[in-house]
Amino acid sequence: MYQFGHYLIRNASIYPDRLAFSCYGKEYTWCELNRETNRVANSLKALGVRSGDRVAYMFRNCTETVLCFLATQKIGATAVAINTHFLAGEISRIMDVTDCKVVLFDADFSKTIHDAAQLYGKLQLVITTGEPAPGERRFSELLTGSAEEAQVDLSEDDESVIILTSGTTGTSKAAVRTQKMMREYGQMLAIENDNSHRPEVALTHCPFFHTACLSILVKMLALCGTFVLVNKVNPDFIFEQIQTYHVTQMLVVPPLIYMRLYDSGLWRQYDVASLREAQFTGGKCSEDYVRKICEMFPNASLRASYGSTETCAPCSMVISQEELLAHPERITSVGHINANCELRIVDRQMRDVPVGEVGEALVRSPMLFRGYLKNDELNQRVFSDGWFHTEDLMRRDANGYYYLVDRVKDMIKTGGENVYAQEVEDILRNHPAISDCAVIGVPDVRFEEAVAAAIVLKAGMTLSDEELVRYCRETLPSYKKPRYVAYMDEVPHNVTGKVQKSILREHPEQFRPIAGLN
């Protein structure tokens, strides 16, 4: 049966000497990566790990996390990458939800994992990069296993990976992806890629437990490209990697990180001409962001995409700098529907809305996740005749471009009018003094709920209430303009770059009325 792990075997056979993976000085050709993966996979099998077992692992971005993931795909075990910011209680809950049998982890997380394991009480195998406790194994032992091909036959319906949702509003959920889904995902990413240039080299700093990072690895597996993994945003190191490996694609999340790279000024000191695609989350870029990305990477087109843990990437687009000049409104688009995906925009009665109107996005595709583990009630609510309810509000224009308007839960009802927070955020980000922002609704005596903006100013910039009021009157209808404001050093983000509006909503008192509004 053709399964996801076939990509690695194929690449090792066809391009054995091509560079497959690099992470902080450790480099592997496809042949070497396949061999080391086989060693880890065969060692896990020798220790009793079988097809269908759930294998959790907790590492920062490093070689070990890639080998763990690929090894599970060889032997039919299910990969469960744990968020490195989770505490013991959440990890033990995840272990329980996934019926985890095995955990591998970096020594830095020893106390957290040991506390979680004690709470869970059902682990059968514990493997660490550090000094093992009694009954545990050392990760280095896995690298001494047999290098013989470890791939086992799998059904396309067998599990491949369980990805934990980022949980911005509550506890994370365990979303199941199958072998077929991962295989189809790789094929779609390959189809959507500009295949006129080979080999591709893709770099990301996104954490491996996040679907964004996994998508880059999957894409490079499908394209026989090179996966360059870094652990954090160090501008000097990132530009050095681009120059050293002639990186052609780069994904950073959120788009604000591109501004950190730009503001460092280091891009002027390195050769970044190889970068042809700057990738980011669609609908989150301002005109200022785009201008600076284009200045940094003059040969790059921009790829905006829309997706989630549950849906992968139903929409994306690659837009050239010339096209952006001709159609600047597309800066905020998330693109067209991707291959093998269907997307409907519906009202509350599940009727398709006309072009230009806002509704909830429903997605159907072979890449759709199978469901949330041990959450039948939620599964029944989010699936309808094969369609997944994303709870994202979108609209489509006459040219087939989709625009993410907001999350259903983030819509603000003020004075009887619907205000989409993201629309206001897009306008505010275009102000020359504003670096970042987040918009929520707060209680208000007059309007019941009013628009409130958390604003981060650019270094050295100021913004008076009078200036903010004047800008909003020029750019927003009256009912959409913020009536409350809070200036912050940064808006709260989780580790995957999503704004945690739940934290802002917990403290509405930090927002003050804007002077001069009627």
Side-chain angles (χ1 to χ4, degrees):
M1 176 64 70
Y2 174 43
Q3 54 224 342
F4 177 64
H6 170 76
Y7 286 127
L8 180 54
I9 297 172
R10 179 203 63 177
N11 296 352
S13 173
I14 300 176
Y15 299 103
D17 299 323
R18 179 181 288 181
L19 184 63
F21 173 53
S22 172
C23 185
Y24 291 95
K26 290 187 177 181
E27 296 181 347
Y28 297 84
T29 64
W30 283 111
C31 180
E32 292 168 340
L33 185 60
N34 190 55
R35 183 175 65 240
E36 292 305 295
T37 299
N38 283 332
R39 292 191 188 280
V40 175
N42 284 320
S43 294
L44 290 174
K45 283 200 294 185
L47 292 170
V49 181
R50 296 291 178 261
S51 180
D53 288 346
R54 273 77 177 263
V55 176
Y57 50 99
M58 189 172 182
F59 298 95
R60 298 183 182 89
N61 285 359
C62 62
T63 301
E64 287 82 359
T65 196
V66 173
L67 290 176
C68 283
F69 169 71
L70 293 175
T72 61
Q73 304 309 293
K74 290 272 189 180
I75 61 177
T78 305
V80 186
I82 298 176
N83 189 319
T84 54
H85 293 259
F86 281 170
L87 302 179
E90 177 68 356
I91 294 172
S92 67
R93 188 189 70 82
I94 290 163
M95 289 177 173
D96 185 60
V97 169
T98 60
D99 297 314
C100 178
K101 293 185 178 181
V102 184
V103 64
L104 304 94
F105 61 95
D106 185 88
D108 288 349
F109 304 116
S110 292
K111 185 179 187 309
T112 303
I113 291 294
H114 288 150
D115 289 348
Q118 188 172 9
L119 289 169
Y120 174 54
K122 300 177 187 177
L123 286 174
Q124 299 176 9
L125 180 61
V126 178
I127 303 172
T128 176
T129 61
E131 189 64 31
E136 297 180 355
R137 297 280 184 163
R138 196 188 300 270
F139 188 90
S140 58
E141 296 177 31
L142 303 183
L143 301 176
T144 64
S146 169
E148 293 184 3
E149 185 52 58
Q151 184 72 57
V152 300
D153 286 335
L154 298 171
S155 159
E156 62 181 17
D157 293 325
D158 285 335
E159 292 178 1
S160 168
V161 60
I162 293 172
I163 302 182
L164 307 171
T165 60
S166 53
T168 58
T169 58
T171 56
S172 55
K173 301 178 288 293
V176 181
R177 293 184 179 179
T178 64
Q179 289 285 323
K180 179 182 179 181
M181 180 186 178
M182 293 294 285
R183 183 189 71 203
E184 295 278 353
Y185 193 22
Q187 290 176 344
M188 187 209 75
L189 292 170
I191 291 171
E192 297 293 330
N193 195 74
D194 176 6
N195 292 320
S196 61
H197 302 276
R198 289 294 182 94
E200 296 286 0
V201 182
L203 179 149
T204 189
H205 75 101
C206 297
F208 199 85
F209 54 78
H210 185 238
T211 186
C213 183
L214 186 58
S215 72
I216 297 299
L217 174 58
V218 170
K219 186 175 185 178
M220 292 304 100
L221 280 162
L223 290 172
C224 306
T226 300
F227 180 50
V228 180
L229 183 62
V230 300
N231 184 49
K232 57 184 178 180
V233 180
N234 179 324
D236 202 358
F237 184 71
I238 285 178
F239 288 122
E240 179 191 27
Q241 296 292 283
I242 293 173
Q243 177 175 282
T244 300
Y245 292 106
H246 306 292
V247 170
T248 61
Q249 305 180 17
M250 181 168 69
L251 170 63
V252 300
V253 175
L256 183 63
I257 291 177
Y258 276 112
M259 298 306 96
R260 288 178 57 186
L261 297 176
Y262 180 88
D263 291 341
S264 75
L266 294 169
W267 48 276
R268 297 183 178 92
Q269 303 175 21
Y270 290 90
D271 180 2
V272 297
S274 62
L275 198 79
R276 298 192 312 275
E277 198 170 281
Q279 304 173 6
F280 53 86
T281 306
K284 298 294 185 181
C285 263
S286 69
E287 293 180 18
D288 184 50
Y289 285 12
V290 168
R291 179 181 60 79
K292 290 179 178 177
I293 292 171
C294 293
E295 186 179 353
M296 262 196 303
F297 305 114
N299 295 332
S301 295
L302 283 76
R303 177 183 285 275
S305 63
Y306 158 75
S308 66
T309 300
E310 295 87 353
T311 63
C312 292
C315 291
S316 72
M317 67 173 174
V318 176
I319 187 165
S320 68
Q321 298 186 25
E322 292 75 18
E323 186 178 356
L324 278 174
L325 288 173
H327 300 281
E329 74 280 1
R330 291 177 186 169
I331 290 171
T332 58
S333 172
V334 298
H336 296 285
I337 298 175
N338 282 334
N340 300 328
C341 294
E342 297 174 85
L343 193 151
R344 295 174 60 198
I345 301 178
V346 302
D347 60 20
R348 292 183 178 180
Q349 286 73 45
M350 291 286 289
R351 298 172 302 198
D352 293 284
V353 303
V355 170
E357 290 193 13
V358 175
E360 183 189 4
L362 308 185
V363 173
R364 182 169 66 182
S365 84
M367 300 176 299
L368 200 61
F369 81 127
R370 189 158 69 187
Y372 300 114
L373 278 181
K374 299 183 181 180
N375 206 331
D376 291 340
E377 181 180 350
L378 180 59
N379 288 333
Q380 290 177 8
R381 190 167 76 245
V382 299
F383 286 102
S384 177
D385 295 327
W387 293 90
F388 175 68
H389 288 257
T390 66
E391 296 190 342
D392 289 327
L393 295 171
M394 300 185 77
R395 64 177 176 86
R396 180 174 67 88
D397 69 17
N399 295 311
Y401 285 89
Y402 286 81
Y403 295 80
L404 181 62
V405 176
D406 217 336
R407 292 285 289 167
V408 171
K409 64 178 179 295
D410 289 339
M411 189 178 72
I412 302 164
K413 192 81 169 181
T414 178
E417 299 282 357
N418 293 336
V419 174
Y420 303 113
Q422 183 165 310
E423 179 184 5
V424 181
E425 290 165 357
D426 290 342
I427 296 295
L428 291 178
R429 285 195 189 99
N430 282 328
H431 190 283
I434 295 176
S435 171
D436 198 11
C437 65
V439 169
I440 64 169
V442 297
D444 181 79
V445 174
R446 180 181 175 186
F447 297 98
E448 292 191 19
E449 188 177 30
V451 179
I455 292 176
V456 180
L457 295 176
K458 294 178 181 177
M461 301 294 284
T462 60
L463 183 63
S464 68
D465 281 8
E466 181 182 1
E467 291 169 326
L468 180 59
V469 169
R470 183 167 59 250
Y471 177 75
C472 290
R473 282 177 175 162
E474 292 171 352
T475 55
L476 287 165
S478 179
Y479 71 93
K480 294 183 181 182
K481 60 179 180 280
R483 295 186 174 275
Y484 294 79
V485 68
Y487 290 98
M488 301 179 171
D489 293 334
E490 61 181 2
V491 294
H493 291 84
N494 68 11
V495 70
T496 62
K498 292 182 180 179
V499 176
Q500 294 182 295
K501 293 190 177 182
S502 58
I503 294 178
L504 295 175
R505 294 188 184 102
E506 289 172 0
H507 300 285
E509 71 282 356
Q510 65 189 317
F511 294 89
R512 63 167 177 80
I514 298 175
L517 283 179
N518 49 34

